[in-house]
């Protein structure tokens, strides 16, 4: 009977992991905070329960006001209207892209790109929609949250391999750069990029540790900034991040006892003697 119970628990864990790509869904980790900025304040603007899985996340630049988010349960990418506060259409994923997590709005000649936690491919959706399969994901099946930086034409992606956590910067089939980060202590999930003091900020989060980790990229080096706890909204797992440049805010997706949540947050940083939000920083560029 004991062996049977263990087998049932093991199969249950596998079934759970297959829902969102979390390789160790029951391994909760105690958050650790390394505050190395003067002060970071996170304010919750609003939280919604969209009724669908919200993995990866990205701000849809071509149609301002919308967030794209993957649903591996439905094999589609849903669109969320941030102003109307409701789902607003979807696109079915490529038939082979059955374990999608990361979605990126770009490149410029396509609607968006997705990855897959059971394959090493990227999938690019052009207008139509027509899908193209690219065997060029440097993070392989370990890739999760992903964004496309329009200014540089590069993708950024969070990836994990065992206890090694890496941020990737790359052009499919072209240049590839990777940065091992040591602050997280759990499998990476969401990733967002945003303007930061003339450079590029990078923010990641983990499935089982409810922290946000901040970094800055100066064009050659990725440097650590700070770690702050996620806001208390009933989350037990972080699933996605994106930065909405026209709103100057971030969106964070998560799962918890109440279901799948989507939260808009404002981040305020004390910069020396002055205080600025990402929204006001954005206007300087």
């Amino acid at each position: 009977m004991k062996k049977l119970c263990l087998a049932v628990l093991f199969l249950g864990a596998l079934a759970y992991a297959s829902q969102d790509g979390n390789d160790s869904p029951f391994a909760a980790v105690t958050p650790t905070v390394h505050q190395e900025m003067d002060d970071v304040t996170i304010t919750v603007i609003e939280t919604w329960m969209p009724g669908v899985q919200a993995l990866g996340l990205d701000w849809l630049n071509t149609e301002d006001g919308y967030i794209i988010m993957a649903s591996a349960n439905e094999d589609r990418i849903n669109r969320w209207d941030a102003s109307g506060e409701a789902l607003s259409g979807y696109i079915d994923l490529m038939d082979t892209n059955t374990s999608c997590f990361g979605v990126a709005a770009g490149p410029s000649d396509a609607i968006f790109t997705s990855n897959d936690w059971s394959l090493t491919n990227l999938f690019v959706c052009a207008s139509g929609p027509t899908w193209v399969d690219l065997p060029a994901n440097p993070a392989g099946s370990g890739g999760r949250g992903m964004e496309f930086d329009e200014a540089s034409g590069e993708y950024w992606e969070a990836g994990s391999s065992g206890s090694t956590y890496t941020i990737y910067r790359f052009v499919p089939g072209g240049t590839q750069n990777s940065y091992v980060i040591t602050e997280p202590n759990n499998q990476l999930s969401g990733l967002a990029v945003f303007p930061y003091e003339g450079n590029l900020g990078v923010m990641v989060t983990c499935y089982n540790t409810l922290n946000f980790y901040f970094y800055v990229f100066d064009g050659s080096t990725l440097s650590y900034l700070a770690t702050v706890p996620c806001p208390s909204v009933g989350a037990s797992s972080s699933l996605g991040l994106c930065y909405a440049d026209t709103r100057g805010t971030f969106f964070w997706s998560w799962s918890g006892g109440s279901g799948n949540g989507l939260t808009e947050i404002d981040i305020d940083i004390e910069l020396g003697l002055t205080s600025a939000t990402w929204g006001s920083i954005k206007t300087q560029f």
Side-chain angles (χ1 to χ4, degrees):
M1 181 61 70
K2 183 177 181 180
K3 290 182 177 180
L4 176 61
C5 290
L6 290 175
V8 170
L9 286 172
F10 178 71
L11 290 174
L14 288 180
Y16 186 95
S18 69
Q19 298 302 306
D20 60 16
N22 188 347
D23 293 336
S24 53
F26 302 113
V29 180
T30 302
T32 55
V33 178
H34 308 281
Q35 189 70 49
E36 295 186 5
M37 294 180 125
D38 292 336
D39 189 40
V40 180
T41 302
I42 295 178
T43 304
V44 172
I45 298 173
E46 192 164 359
T47 293
W48 306 272
M49 307 303 291
V52 296
Q53 196 175 43
L55 306 178
L57 302 190
D58 201 5
W59 187 248
L60 190 55
N61 302 322
T62 57
E63 295 184 68
D64 185 39
Y66 296 92
I67 297 169
I68 53 173
M69 48 196 189
S71 174
N73 292 334
E74 301 172 289
D75 292 329
R76 64 176 52 163
I77 293 178
N78 290 304
R79 189 176 69 166
W80 173 266
D81 183 346
S83 298
E85 304 182 357
L87 290 171
S88 178
Y90 65 89
I91 291 179
D92 289 323
L93 291 163
M94 191 171 182
D95 291 344
T96 52
N97 191 190
T98 58
S99 301
C100 175
F101 187 98
V103 288
S108 57
D109 58 347
I111 303 173
F112 44 70
T113 303
S114 64
N115 62 16
D116 193 294
W117 72 71
S118 62
L119 300 173
T120 59
N121 305 49
L122 293 173
F123 302 86
V124 178
C125 180
S127 58
T130 301
W131 286 97
V132 178
D133 185 346
L134 299 178
N137 187 356
S141 60
R144 295 298 186 268
M146 179 171 62
E147 284 204 20
F148 179 75
D149 178 27
E150 293 181 345
S152 66
E154 296 173 317
Y155 289 87
W156 288 81
E157 186 176 16
S160 304
S161 177
S163 59
T164 300
Y165 311 113
T166 305
I167 294 175
Y168 295 87
R169 177 174 63 91
F170 65 96
V171 175
T175 58
Q176 297 183 8
N177 297 271
S178 60
Y179 311 91
V180 174
I181 54 176
T182 57
E183 290 74 28
N185 57 1
N186 183 251
Q187 184 182 6
L188 300 180
S189 53
L191 176 144
V193 297
F194 54 92
Y196 177 71
E197 293 190 312
N199 296 309
L200 189 70
V202 183
M203 175 184 179
V204 296
T205 190
C206 304
Y207 280 107
N208 299 338
T209 306
L210 296 179
N211 279 340
F212 294 140
Y213 304 88
F214 294 91
Y215 302 83
V216 61
F217 179 66
D218 64 4
S220 60
T221 302
L222 186 75
S223 303
Y224 170 68
L225 289 177
T227 301
V228 295
C230 300
S232 299
V233 292
S236 59
S237 181
S238 287
L239 299 177
L241 292 171
C242 73
Y243 174 69
D245 56 356
T246 54
R247 295 167 74 99
T249 60
F250 293 83
F251 286 85
W252 166 49
S253 63
W254 48 271
S255 64
S258 56
N260 297 306
L262 179 66
T263 298
E264 184 175 12
I265 55 178
D266 182 65
I267 300 176
D268 184 86
I269 292 183
E270 296 289 338
L271 300 172
L273 299 177
T274 62
S275 174
T277 64
W278 296 122
S280 60
I281 291 172
K282 172 180 66 66
T283 63
Q284 300 171 14
F285 292 81

